[in-house]
Amino acid sequence: MEFMKYTFDVEKDDFVRAGEASSNIKRTLRELGIDSAIVRRIAIATYEAEMNIVIHSVGGQVELEIDPNSIKVTARDRGPGIPNIELAMQEGYSTASEKVREMGFGAGMGLPNMKKCTDRFTVESVYGEGTTITMEILLKAGD
Amino acid sequence: MIQNVNKLEMKYMVMKYTNGRAQTMKLCEIKDILKAEVLCGDEFLENEVSYAFGSDLMSDVLAYVKGRTILLTGLINSQVIRTAEMADLTAIVFVRGKRPENDIVNLAKQNNMILFTTKDSMYTASGKLFCNGLEGINLD
Ligand SMILES: Nc1ncnc2c1ncn2[C@@H]1O[C@H](COP(=O)(O)OP(=O)(O)OP(=O)(O)O)[C@@H](O)[C@H]1O
Ligand SMILES: [Mg+2]
């Protein structure tokens, strides 16, 4: 498998199209014949990151990179950023609005779940500039 | 009182470990038990599930649900279908007689899902399935 890269735009507050990037990424990985348990882990983590861009940011992108050794997803947005990453990482912490909660989000489980689903997970955020989340699953021979 | 608890627990254990593993349930049985209407995917009625999970919190579904599980929910937006898609869930029951709009049903069709709607509330629907031997998921 050679190196591949795909980029998907994610719009703020677009709850109709929200999830399309993750859906495309899931399909791409399945078509490459990646092990279904790994596809599922990446799909869940990507979807959580995509929904966070829709819900909490002004908009951004999700990027998929595949090479023979790993699958990497980067979720990048243009702001506002996370003021306190440690707090945001705590299970149950959420600033989601009532409207978003009524749609089934805002349990404060997304970031911890992204970490749980992936082998490598980083959050970088500058308040006023934006947030970048990287998530990687390492592939072994046969995956 | 203690005796009652033990009896109930016994009943649960017997139910849970019949044949040494969780019982599976056909989707057509679920349809009958909940007097549910199929909104799409009736070609999957012979498929089976091992567990059920009831929630209106999509992040909880994403964090905890694995394997062949049917989702019961009171939400009917497109994110329910997306969540199920990501978590490899293919059967959803909408409770309290809720019905998603056509484009949401179409999204489910594209993902080879079966959708049901039942008049029962979340509690009643869950209770009926549990009494008939369908277990909840294991939380670890
Ligand atoms: N991309 C982002 N930009 C700005 N703030 C964010 C971003 N992602 C997360 N946050 C902040 O971190 C908090 C926790 O995020 P997390 O995904 O864990 O929970 P949530 O999105 O609130 O709820 P859930 O994911 O369970 O639906 C959010 O409520 C928000 O305040
Ligand atoms: Mg989130």
Side-chain angles (χ1 to χ4, degrees), chain A residues 48 52 56 77 81-82 88 93-95 105-112 131, chain B residues 59:
Chain A
E48 292 279 17
N52 277 2
H56 305 295
D77 65 58
I82 303 176
Y93 177 81
S94 176
T95 59
F105 293 89
M109 295 291 293
L111 287 167
T131 303
Chain B
S59 280

Side-chain angles (χ1 to χ4, degrees), chain A residues 15-20 22-23 26 30 36 40 43-44 47-48 51 91 102-105 107 109-110 113 116, chain B residues 56-67 75 77-80 82-88 103 111:
Chain A
F15 288 99
V16 177
R17 294 194 52 201
E20 275 186 14
S22 306
S23 182
K26 185 169 191 191
R30 214 170 22 210
S36 63
R40 183 177 181 280
I44 288 175
Y47 180 63
E48 292 279 17
M51 289 314 295
E91 275 188 19
E102 278 167 15
M103 295 177 60
F105 293 89
M109 295 291 293
N113 199 20
K116 198 178 85 184
Chain B
D56 288 350
L57 286 174
M58 293 303 113
S59 280
D60 274 0
V61 176
L62 292 164
Y64 298 117
V65 179
K66 296 189 198 67
L75 291 181
N77 59 48
S78 59
Q79 298 317 314
V80 175
R82 287 295 185 205
T83 297
E85 177 191 354
M86 300 311 149
D88 293 337
D103 47 348
N111 283 289

Side-chain angles (χ1 to χ4, degrees), chain A residues 1-135:
Chain A
M1 193 196 309
E2 58 202 289
F3 182 82
M4 287 183 260
K5 184 168 163 172
Y6 305 83
T7 307
F8 304 92
D9 286 332
V10 180
E11 301 296 332
K12 135 187 213 267
D13 287 336
D14 186 348
F15 288 99
V16 177
R17 294 194 52 201
E20 275 186 14
S22 306
S23 182
N24 282 317
I25 285 173
K26 185 169 191 191
R27 188 173 330 116
T28 304
L29 295 175
R30 214 170 22 210
E31 283 169 6
L32 286 169
I34 308 278
D35 173 74
S36 63
I38 291 182
V39 174
R40 183 177 181 280
R41 281 162 63 201
I42 285 278
I44 288 175
T46 305
Y47 180 63
E48 292 279 17
E50 181 180 359
M51 289 314 295
N52 277 2
I53 295 179
V54 174
I55 294 167
H56 305 295
S57 89
V58 299
Q61 284 185 333
V62 176
E63 193 179 88
L64 170 68
E65 289 170 276
I66 310 166
D67 70 40
N69 302 314
S70 76
I71 301 167
K72 187 174 172 186
V73 172
T74 307
R76 203 178 278 116
D77 65 58
R78 300 182 293 274
I82 303 176
N84 184 337
I85 294 175
E86 204 184 321
L87 190 61
M89 284 299 302
Q90 283 178 17
E91 275 188 19
Y93 177 81
S94 176
T95 59
S97 67
E98 195 49 45
K99 180 185 157 241
V100 164
R101 286 171 202 268
E102 278 167 15
M103 295 177 60
F105 293 89
M109 295 291 293
L111 287 167
N113 199 20
M114 289 176 221
K115 186 173 179 188
K116 198 178 85 184
C117 284
T118 52
D119 296 322
R120 288 184 188 149
F121 171 84
T122 65
V123 190
E124 283 165 73
S125 193
V126 178
Y127 195 62
E129 286 180 23
T131 303
T132 301
I133 289 176
T134 64
M135 302 178 283

Side-chain angles (χ1 to χ4, degrees), chain B residues 56-119:
Chain B
D56 288 350
L57 286 174
M58 293 303 113
S59 280
D60 274 0
V61 176
L62 292 164
Y64 298 117
V65 179
K66 296 189 198 67
R68 292 189 305 173
T69 305
I70 187 164
L71 174 65
L72 283 76
T73 185
L75 291 181
I76 50 166
N77 59 48
S78 59
Q79 298 317 314
V80 175
I81 311 296
R82 287 295 185 205
T83 297
E85 177 191 354
M86 300 311 149
D88 293 337
L89 302 179
T90 54
I92 304 174
V93 179
F94 300 108
V95 298
R96 274 182 285 122
K98 294 205 167 193
R99 267 164 205 279
E101 310 230 337
N102 278 342
D103 47 348
I104 290 163
V105 175
N106 286 334
L107 187 62
K109 273 188 203 160
Q110 282 166 32
N111 283 289
N112 297 319
M113 291 176 187
I114 178 165
L115 300 182
F116 299 94
T117 182
T118 175
K119 290 204 172 85

